[in-house]
Amino acid sequence: VCFRDAFGVARNLKKSEDAFRGAILAAESSGNEDLANLAKLALQDLESDDAGKYLILDGELELYTGHRSCIRVPDGVRVIAANAFEGLNFLEHVELPDSVIAIESNAFVGCSGLKCLVLPGGLQRIGDCAFMGCSNLTEIQLPAGLRELGSGAFSGCVALEKITVPGTVDAIGAYAFDSCRGLRTAELEKGVTHVGNGVFNNCEALTIVTMPSTVTDFGILVFSGCKNLKLLEAPMEWRRKFRDRIPKHL
């Protein structure tokens, strides 16, 4: 894409931070420093223009009232409150700052346009139904220090293709990935101890699951409706313990 075209798109899409970033990269790669600097100034204006759209109380982001498709939550926010972004279908790209440690229940529920989500490394909690119905989210990287993964957290994320749950998560809430119909592989790392009811319920495309020996509490209907599940990588002793709760062909 010609850098002039990229910058033209950026000018027309005043609410698209992504377009300005693309213009900057295109201009820099073409050696046009003047155009790159101009795009950077425009991006700064756009970011400052959106600054007043966040309702933040004592480090907790309560509500976003802007209309941009690509946002970066301001530094210093520690908690994304319940329902803060609920139903904002125009959101496509969200980046959370390193200061965020918790995403509360229903924070992004129904954000069907969300395609890219950048989670901070220090995130410790994802609440119930936090991302339920984010039907265009194709990839999510759960940070290594995550401790809580709530019930229905990613339920209905039909475009999600793979998931790795870090071993720092003690318990995976019931139906956490329910009806993630595009999910193909799931890995639970060593350290996870509790898998709630129906965690992978109706994940029709799921073919491979890795289950660690540390799981001592395994709910019912975990693999209900997983008609294409072909491989369950798990220790033999674990299989014996929960043989009545895993598909017989596995």
Side-chain angles (χ1 to χ4, degrees), residues 13-244:
L13 300 177
K14 293 182 180 179
K15 293 299 183 180
S16 178
E17 177 182 325
D18 215 27
F20 279 112
R21 291 187 185 280
I24 292 169
L25 290 174
E28 288 179 339
S29 64
S30 301
N32 193 323
E33 293 185 8
D34 291 339
L35 191 58
N37 289 333
L38 183 60
K40 289 176 182 178
L41 288 174
L43 178 60
Q44 290 174 3
D45 289 341
L46 180 60
E47 291 176 333
S48 61
D49 179 62
D50 198 57
K53 305 299 184 180
Y54 300 92
L55 176 60
I56 302 171
L57 300 174
D58 296 326
E60 186 166 335
L61 196 161
E62 301 284 348
L63 189 66
Y64 174 68
T65 59
H67 297 281
R68 291 169 55 194
S69 60
C70 303
I71 66 171
R72 186 186 191 281
V73 171
D75 292 330
V77 170
R78 291 177 56 80
V79 177
I80 307 298
N83 308 99
F85 294 92
E86 179 182 2
L88 301 186
N89 296 331
F90 55 83
L91 279 180
E92 295 182 5
H93 180 108
V94 175
E95 183 177 352
L96 301 180
D98 290 339
S99 55
V100 171
I101 61 171
I103 300 172
E104 298 296 356
S105 302
N106 304 306
F108 292 89
V109 66
C111 292
S112 58
L114 187 61
K115 299 176 182 178
C116 180
L117 175 69
V118 181
L119 298 178
L123 184 67
Q124 298 178 16
R125 166 181 165 78
I126 296 177
D128 297 344
C129 304
F131 298 96
M132 184 174 71
C134 293
S135 54
N136 274 295
L137 190 62
T138 58
E139 184 178 356
I140 187 72
Q141 185 173 350
L142 300 178
L146 187 67
R147 296 175 181 271
E148 299 179 43
L149 185 57
S151 299
F154 292 94
S155 175
C157 292
V158 296
L160 193 64
E161 296 181 355
K162 61 180 180 179
I163 193 69
T164 298
V165 180
T168 51
V169 176
D170 179 57
I172 303 175
Y175 298 92
F177 302 99
D178 175 42
S179 298
C180 291
R181 301 185 188 279
L183 190 65
R184 296 182 179 278
T185 63
E187 179 182 0
L188 279 59
E189 294 184 342
K190 187 176 181 180
V192 176
T193 62
H194 173 86
V195 177
N197 296 337
V199 164
F200 297 109
N201 181 59
N202 286 329
C203 292
E204 298 175 351
L206 190 62
T207 57
I208 302 173
V209 175
T210 302
M211 193 73 60
S213 59
T214 53
V215 173
T216 56
D217 188 4
F218 191 73
I220 62 173
L221 304 175
V222 173
F223 298 121
S224 177
C226 298
K227 57 186 180 182
N228 286 301
L229 186 58
K230 295 179 173 61
L231 178 62
L232 175 62
E233 297 180 345
M236 188 57 65
E237 184 178 344
W238 185 92
R239 287 172 170 274
R240 294 193 191 100
K241 182 176 181 179
F242 297 109
R243 61 181 179 275
D244 60 331

